[in-house]
Amino acid sequence: MLSTLPRLIGHRGAKESAPENTLASIREAARQGAVWVEIDVALTRDGVPVVIHDDTLERTTSGRGALAAIDWAELRALDAGSWFGAPFAGEPVPHFEALLDLVLDLDLGLNAEIKPTPGRSLETAETAINTLKRRWPADRPLLVSSFQVDCLELARTLAPEIPRGYLMDRPPADWAAIADRIGAATLNVNQKRQTAVTVAAYRASGRPVLAYTVNDAVRAKALFDWGVAAVFTDAPGRLAEQLGRL
Ligand code: G3P
Ligand code: MG
């Protein structure tokens, strides 16, 4: 369900203050007052949906190599917190279902971005969608998004009732036709590429525009003034406070 969107969505939780895409990061986003969070969901070698951004493990965990080359049993033992700071030592890469449980417990809305494990796009989308169908109550705020159109097409087939966000960095010339074809509920665009003109063009398609990633309050205000509905931010608390002073 896509109920009213908040203006600020915690990006990978509260990435500025906690290790991204961990349960600690979700808790921190809620503590800062976020009411929605965005996370990235991908697959391990053995097809388990987990919450992680990169295709490789080095940047955000104590592991090495490709996510696609590690099984859940091994991944779950890695440390996804120490790289960010000692207080987060031992924080694991979350299983997608554990993350859903926490997001529901905290009464947050969720944007689950399908981040396809290379070579396994449709399997990633299928697993993420089937997990959401099983675990996410129909009346709780939810948006599934992806940069990959084939993932969104499959999402539409498997769960037409789950709203889809069409993520774009450099938009293809036929983005409007693609958005129609996949039944996009929102357009999730790179804030760096936006002007009053581009936002107006997106809005003319009749969909809310969400912009990633905005950590500067002056920039957020400009985007809102142009008609952007919501921004993804690494710092939901700080941005809310700074916007309040503008
Ligand atoms: O979903 C918004 C944003 O997260 C998309 O880019 O690379 O941060 O997942 P990325
Ligand atoms: Mg993301």
Side-chain angles (χ1 to χ4, degrees):
M1 185 185 78
L2 187 65
S3 51
T4 51
L5 281 163
R7 297 216 118 187
L8 304 180
I9 299 172
H11 185 233
R12 308 183 202 171
K15 183 174 173 286
E16 188 174 271
S17 309
E20 65 181 60
N21 281 329
T22 62
L23 300 186
S25 190
I26 302 303
R27 286 191 201 96
E28 175 61 16
R31 191 193 68 75
Q32 292 184 13
V35 294
W36 271 64
V37 288
E38 184 262 7
I39 57 89
D40 306 290
V41 58
L43 294 184
T44 60
R45 177 169 61 187
D46 52 343
V48 173
V50 295
V51 181
I52 190 167
H53 179 272
D54 297 3
D55 295 338
T56 50
L57 303 172
E58 281 82 354
R59 186 178 63 85
T60 60
T61 80
S62 55
R64 300 180 62 80
L67 175 67
I70 189 168
D71 286 342
W72 168 239
E74 202 184 334
L75 181 71
R76 69 187 305 180
L78 297 181
D79 180 345
S82 287
W83 70 274
F84 190 87
F88 299 101
E91 189 70 33
V93 173
H95 192 294
F96 186 39
E97 293 188 13
L99 180 126
L100 296 182
D101 288 345
L102 177 63
V103 171
L104 289 168
D105 277 355
L106 294 171
D107 208 17
L108 301 173
L110 178 67
N111 175 196
E113 179 188 344
I114 299 167
K115 207 58 127 179
T117 295
R120 297 170 68 182
S121 295
L122 294 183
E123 188 189 346
T124 309
E126 182 179 9
T127 303
I129 293 293
N130 286 339
T131 304
L132 287 166
K133 282 177 77 169
R134 206 171 57 248
R135 298 291 288 259
W136 190 266
D139 61 348
R140 298 289 296 271
L142 176 64
L143 180 68
V144 165
S145 62
S146 187
F147 286 103
Q148 283 197 222
V149 171
D150 57 351
C151 289
L152 294 170
E153 284 175 327
L154 183 61
R156 183 180 204 177
T157 302
L158 294 176
E161 71 282 6
I162 298 179
R164 291 164 298 284
Y166 179 19
L167 263 168
M168 291 178 273
D169 182 5
R170 294 179 187 278
D174 59 344
W175 66 263
I178 294 171
D180 285 345
R181 193 172 84 234
I182 62 180
T186 65
L187 301 173
N188 300 12
V189 302
N190 188 337
Q191 66 91 8
K192 290 182 185 161
R193 304 192 194 288
Q194 305 316 311
T195 63
V197 172
T198 62
V199 174
Y202 289 130
R203 291 187 73 205
S205 85
R207 299 175 173 92
V209 179
L210 285 56
Y212 65 90
T213 302
V214 184
N215 296 323
D216 179 82
V218 172
R219 179 65 175 167
K221 183 171 185 313
L223 290 159
F224 293 143
D225 287 347
W226 296 337
V228 165
V231 299
F232 299 93
T233 178
D234 300 331
R238 176 176 61 76
L239 205 63
E241 198 260 326
Q242 291 173 345
L243 277 165
R245 284 195 269 115
L246 287 184

